Amino acid sequence: MSLLKRIEESASYIQSKLGGLKPQVGLILGSGLGAYADDLENPVCIPYSEIPGFHASTVVGHKGQLVAGTRDGVTVLAMQGRSHFYEGYQQADITLPVRVMKQLGIDTLIITNAAGGVNEAFKEGALMVITDHINFSGTNPLIGPNLEEFGPRFPPMTKVYDPTLRRKLLVMTQAESITLNEGVYMMFAGPNYETPAEIRFARTIGADAVGMSTVPEVTVAAHAGMRVIGISCITNMAAGMQEVHLSHSEVEEVATRVRSTFIRVLDLALQVIKAEE
Ligand code: HPA
C-alpha cells in the first residue's frame, strides 16, 4: 500500500475515534514525560496497536498510545511513546504519525526528548529548547517518492524550529525563573550511546546535545509546513564528559526528576501557541 494511502487510513481511523474533537497541537512525549498525557481533560485513548499503519513502541518506559484531550483550553493529540529508528523501522514509518497529525488538520508540533549534553556549560537535568538540528542518522525520512500533497521535493530547513514561538516561550519561562537553554540537537542512529570521540566531533561541528530521535519527525513536519517547538531534557552529560557509565535507567531517573518543570514548560508552550491563534 502506498504511504499516502496508509496515512489516509490511519487518519480516518483516528478521526472516527475522536468524534467531533479537533486537535490543534500535536505532542510527542519522550522518556519520562508520558504521564503528561494522563492529565489531559476528557481524554480519548487509542492504542497504537489498534491504528492501521502505526508501530507499537518497544522501549521501556514508553506506553504506546495516542491520547487526545484538552489542556488549558487547547486540544492536543499526544503520542505517549514513539518508535525509534534504532528499533529497525524505516524513517518513513516512524514519522507516519506526524503526517497523520497534519492530515488531521494539526499545524503545530511540540516534540520532546531525552538527550545527552555536549555543551560544557550544561548540567544534567537542564532543559534545552532546540534552535536547529544536525541529521547524523545516516538517512532521511523524505527519501522515496515525494508526497506532493504534503510538501515540495526539496523543502527548505532554514527556520524549522519556529523562531517566534521559541522567543515567546523563552520570555514566559524567564518570567517564572525557569532556565531554558538554547541549542543544536544532533541525532545519532543509536542504539549504543556515543563514543567520547564521537562526542568531541559533535561538539566541534556545533552540537549542544545528542540523541536518537526527533530529527526524522521534525524533518517530516518541516516538509509539511508545520510549526515546531522542540525541547530536550539533558538527562546526562554525553560520553566522556561524566564519570559514571551512561545507562537508560539514569536517563529515566533524571527525566523523572525534572518532570514537573518540564511539564510547566510544556504548559507554557501551549499557552504561547494558544495566544497566536
Ligand atoms: N546519547 C544519546 N541519546 C541519549 C543520551 C546520550 O547521551 N542521553 C539520553 N538520550
Side-chain angles (χ1 to χ4, degrees):
M1 195 194 299
S2 76
L3 185 54
L4 182 62
K5 263 238 121 11
R6 284 174 57 203
I7 295 163
E8 286 168 352
E9 268 194 14
S10 298
S12 61
Y13 180 83
I14 294 163
Q15 191 78 70
S16 74
K17 295 281 166 183
L18 292 184
L21 209 59
K22 280 238 164 298
Q24 305 149 267
V25 178
L27 195 53
I28 302 182
L29 299 167
S31 295
L33 266 189
Y36 188 75
D38 294 333
D39 292 334
L40 296 176
E41 294 153 40
N42 306 315
V44 179
C45 302
I46 316 171
Y48 297 155
S49 56
E50 275 183 17
I51 307 172
F54 272 50
H55 293 293
S57 178
T58 60
V59 181
V60 181
H62 289 253
K63 225 176 199 174
Q65 60 179 6
L66 279 184
V67 186
T70 304
R71 179 100 176 173
D72 289 335
V74 185
T75 307
V76 306
L77 183 63
M79 291 183 70
Q80 220 170 15
R82 52 144 74 92
S83 307
H84 297 81
F85 181 46
Y86 60 71
E87 292 173 71
Y89 304 117
Q90 300 290 318
Q91 290 198 1
D93 291 328
I94 57 178
T95 55
L96 184 121
V98 176
R99 284 174 156 153
V100 169
M101 287 174 178
K102 176 73 183 182
Q103 185 77 11
L104 291 167
I106 294 172
D107 286 318
T108 310
L109 177 68
I110 302 177
I111 187 160
T112 64
N113 59 48
V118 172
N119 185 321
E120 281 159 328
F122 289 175
K123 295 204 168 48
E124 66 161 58
L127 296 177
M128 181 187 93
V129 62
I130 305 175
T131 56
D132 203 349
H133 74 222
I134 298 170
N135 181 1
F136 196 64
S137 71
T139 185
N140 189 300
L142 302 178
I143 290 175
N146 183 49
L147 295 188
E148 291 293 330
E149 296 81 357
F150 285 81
R153 172 77 292 187
F154 302 110
M157 297 289 287
T158 321
K159 289 187 181 166
V160 173
Y161 298 88
D162 192 275
T164 307
L165 294 179
R166 247 194 294 133
R167 189 164 26 81
K168 290 184 175 173
L169 180 59
L170 281 166
V171 170
M172 297 197 56
T173 51
Q174 266 158 19
E176 298 193 6
S177 302
I178 296 171
T179 305
L180 203 49
N181 302 278
E182 292 183 276
V184 174
Y185 176 91
M186 179 172 178
M187 179 189 172
F188 283 75
N192 58 280
Y193 291 109
E194 301 72 26
T195 65
E198 285 166 344
I199 294 306
R200 288 194 298 276
F201 163 69
R203 188 178 309 113
T204 303
I205 67 168
D208 296 291
V210 290
M212 308 175 195
S213 68
T214 302
V215 167
E217 294 98 321
V218 169
T219 302
V220 159
H223 176 250
M226 296 167 80
R227 297 183 304 177
V228 177
I229 297 182
I231 306 167
S232 296
C233 175
I234 307 298
T235 52
N236 55 277
M237 293 312 286
M241 298 176 72
Q242 64 173 34
E243 288 305 313
V244 292
H245 269 306
L246 303 182
S247 69
H248 188 57
S249 55
E250 181 197 0
V251 168
E252 286 199 300
E253 194 186 299
V254 177
T256 305
R257 178 148 55 75
V258 298
R259 183 158 59 204
S260 60
T261 311
F262 207 155
I263 284 175
R264 184 65 194 148
V265 174
L266 287 181
D267 280 343
L268 292 175
L270 286 181
Q271 284 184 28
V272 166
I273 294 163
K274 185 174 158 187
E276 288 255 308
E277 314 247 294

